[in-house]
Amino acid sequence: MNKKPGYVFVWPIGTRIIHWMMALSFTAAFITSFHKNQLHSHVAFGFIFLIILVYRIIWGIVGPRYATFKTFKLRLSELKGYFVEKVRNRWRKIPAGHNPASSWFTVWALIVGTVIVISGLLLYGVEEAKGCFRFLNEDYYQYMDTLTMLHKYASYLFATWVIIHITGVLIEQFWHRTGMAFAMITGYKKTEGEDTKVKRSLSIFAYLMILLAIVTYFFIVSSNYNYLTLQKYTNVDYEEEHPDYYHECGECHVAYPPYLLPRRSWERIMGALDNHFGEEITEANITKLQQASILEYLIQHAAETSKREAAVKTMKSLGERRPKAITKTPYWRETHKHIPKYVYRQKKIKDKSNCAACHRDFKYGNLEDMNILYDF
Ligand code: HEC
Ligand code: HEC
């Protein structure tokens, strides 16, 4: 390392790559979280974040000078002293490693980051029934809303933190003129102290973790059916499960997956076929025997019996109500309220009940987020 006068080498290349991978993966995961059908990318970025986070925690224990937790300045008096000095003395000296504010920032970021990745992994398992924790959907489905809240608010907290961090760096850069913004690019800080040296074994460890993060990202985006992305529910072949339901009730619209409405709703629908949304369905169309068998099938597979996200959330939204249409449930209305009315008038969609126009594989009962088509 060439020694630059007035500068100290504080952030080795591994640390810098890690820092930017963390920043980018968080930003990308944050942006993709606003579109349901980008769940796949969201999870892939989340895994980069997770691996980098684990690495950073290990690095904080065994890593080189300036990166370890034991060099952090976490006493409140130090934090106060830091800010008093910052306000009083524009040209104060900065430490080579973490200052009290950035020590606190790092510790908090690691804690909140840990909450984000753990809640995210659990949520993916509990709500989407996907990923390595898909088995949790079975017994813990009732926690999907709690986990969503935790995951969401922890992420907002982290995002707020990032903004404060960037503001702090900009103040250093433009007010105190410490050149802080470039330290994470060049590795050098304008200060006094000893240069950092990284042991070969630690460097190898850092590069392996970077590689692992990148490989994991591509592993996830490459397939919807590998260990990290597989869903517990597979496509249902309704035609095979109940041919009459599939054909008779699928004549005018795709036969709706039974788990989308509760038992009582199916009873009401089947009890009023003579006036079925303006259509008259008689025994000439569907025999009494077929009707009875269809109703039995629907009841056996109604929302009460399912732990899929849509079933659980539909039931929760309904309370005591038992409407005759999926599109009348508060859950459906809530999830579709952002879609402008004119969309439903388009030729390829025609009607809001035409679920299959916007949900790929709808006829197999598949309502995965990543199958939502937004190109209307
Ligand atoms: C003759 C045509 C026809 C047949 C056969 C038919 N339906 Fe329908 N169904 C309709 C129409 C029309 C609507 C109103 C929504 C639309 O425009 O697609 C509808 C709507 C529905 C809805 C509400 C969808 C929503 O908007 O939430 C359900 C549930 C439903 N049908 C169930 C059934 C079942 C169960 C059967 C078999 C017993 C069946 N349908 C057979 C024509 C039909
Ligand atoms: C015009 C296209 C369109 C139609 C028609 C449509 N949906 Fe959707 N649906 C969407 C979009 C877009 C979203 C995601 C909304 C969001 O991003 O919050 C969605 C979300 C959902 C969700 C929530 C998925 C989740 O995991 O959060 C369910 C369940 C759902 N739709 C079921 C249905 C059913 C059942 C029908 C038919 C009765 C239907 N949709 C008709 C576009 C449509």
Side-chain angles (χ1 to χ4, degrees):
M1 245 150 275
N2 326 327
K3 179 83 184 154
K4 282 205 241 172
Y7 284 84
V8 181
F9 186 67
V10 280
W11 309 129
I13 179 81
T15 304
R16 280 173 278 154
I17 296 178
I18 296 279
H19 172 269
W20 292 111
M21 277 177 87
M22 194 160 208
L24 288 176
S25 61
F26 178 78
T27 310
F30 197 76
I31 294 170
T32 48
S33 74
F34 293 99
H35 267 84
K36 285 190 188 298
N37 64 350
Q38 286 172 19
L39 182 66
H40 215 105
S41 317
H42 174 77
V43 171
F45 288 122
F47 264 93
I48 295 188
F49 188 79
L50 180 154
I51 291 165
I52 298 301
L53 190 79
V54 171
Y55 158 84
R56 183 61 187 88
I57 292 171
I58 299 175
W59 202 245
I61 299 164
V62 301
R65 186 196 296 269
Y66 305 129
T68 46
F69 298 137
K70 62 174 191 273
T71 67
F72 279 21
K73 302 184 183 71
L74 292 171
R75 252 175 274 143
L76 281 177
S77 56
E78 287 173 316
L79 189 65
K80 196 178 143 204
Y82 169 80
F83 281 110
V84 169
E85 170 87 2
K86 189 176 174 72
V87 173
R88 284 212 191 124
N89 182 4
R90 182 174 173 187
W91 309 113
R92 86 247 193 274
K93 279 211 172 91
I94 56 166
H98 281 279
N99 64 47
S102 74
S103 302
W104 273 98
F105 171 79
T106 308
V107 169
W108 259 100
L110 294 179
I111 294 173
V112 178
T114 307
V115 174
I116 295 175
V117 295
I118 293 178
S119 60
L121 271 178
L122 294 177
L123 184 60
Y124 197 46
V126 165
E127 181 169 271
E128 308 295 330
K130 282 173 78 89
C132 41
F133 291 119
R134 55 184 170 272
F135 63 91
L136 290 179
N137 168 261
E138 185 62 30
D139 293 322
Y140 298 99
Y141 61 91
Q142 67 275 34
Y143 293 111
M144 51 181 80
D145 289 337
T146 316
L147 282 168
T148 304
M149 286 294 161
L150 193 62
H151 190 58
K152 196 160 137 183
Y153 289 116
S155 309
Y156 287 164
L157 200 59
F158 197 94
T160 314
W161 226 228
V162 169
I163 292 167
I164 294 173
H165 169 59
I166 294 172
T167 312
V169 172
L170 291 178
I171 292 174
E172 282 295 334
Q173 181 69 26
F174 294 108
W175 173 248
H176 299 295
R177 309 273 169 114
T178 49
M180 182 84 95
F182 298 104
M184 256 312 158
I185 300 168
T186 61
Y188 286 92
K189 250 192 198 181
K190 217 196 288 177
T191 180
E192 284 161 14
E194 264 186 65
D195 283 350
T196 193
K197 284 190 194 68
V198 190
K199 276 190 265 161
R200 180 183 275 266
S201 56
L202 279 179
S203 287
I204 294 174
F205 169 65
Y207 291 126
L208 283 179
M209 290 299 268
I210 292 170
L211 188 69
L212 179 67
I214 295 170
V215 169
T216 309
Y217 173 85
F218 285 106
F219 180 64
I220 292 174
V221 292
S222 69
S223 160
N224 194 23
Y225 303 102
N226 63 41
Y227 177 69
L228 293 176
T229 57
L230 192 70
Q231 195 181 40
K232 178 182 122 184
Y233 302 102
T234 47
N235 281 358
V236 183
D237 187 348
Y238 290 105
E239 187 173 16
E240 197 188 300
E241 272 208 7
H242 202 291
D244 281 347
Y245 177 61
Y246 182 81
H247 291 291
E248 303 304 334
C249 299
E251 206 185 302
C252 311
H253 46 68
V254 174
Y256 297 105
Y259 69 79
L260 287 173
L261 281 176
R263 292 188 184 113
R264 185 74 198 113
S265 293
W266 289 122
E267 280 168 4
R268 290 185 62 198
I269 291 166
M270 294 306 290
L273 287 181
D274 52 341
N275 182 6
H276 182 77
F277 303 89
E279 301 283 330
E280 192 182 350
I281 302 173
T282 63
E283 281 180 53
N285 310 112
I286 310 179
T287 67
K288 269 268 172 278
L289 213 62
Q290 283 175 323
Q291 288 184 24
S293 157
I294 288 171
L295 178 59
E296 196 192 320
Y297 173 72
L298 289 171
I299 285 178
Q300 270 169 15
H301 296 86
E304 289 94 334
T305 68
S306 174
K307 289 162 188 172
R308 290 185 190 244
E309 179 186 359
V312 171
K313 291 190 172 171
T314 298
M315 286 312 292
K316 203 170 167 186
S317 81
L318 279 175
E320 297 297 308
R321 280 163 293 177
R322 293 295 179 261
K324 275 167 74 177
I326 303 157
T327 46
K328 291 249 154 54
T329 63
Y331 173 60
W332 192 92
R333 291 191 170 175
E334 182 59 31
T335 43
H336 296 81
K337 70 176 179 202
H338 310 291
I339 301 172
K341 291 270 173 296
Y342 73 86
V343 167
Y344 299 116
R345 289 195 291 272
Q346 285 178 20
K347 250 219 207 98
K348 61 178 178 189
I349 298 177
K350 284 203 199 92
D351 194 271
K352 61 182 189 300
S353 309
N354 186 10
C355 321
C358 306
H359 294 274
R360 199 188 303 127
D361 285 354
F362 182 77
K363 68 171 180 166
Y364 302 113
N366 185 324
L367 273 165
E368 263 200 65
D369 284 12
M370 54 178 297
N371 281 342
I372 299 173
L373 308 164
Y374 278 90
D375 53 345
F376 32 73

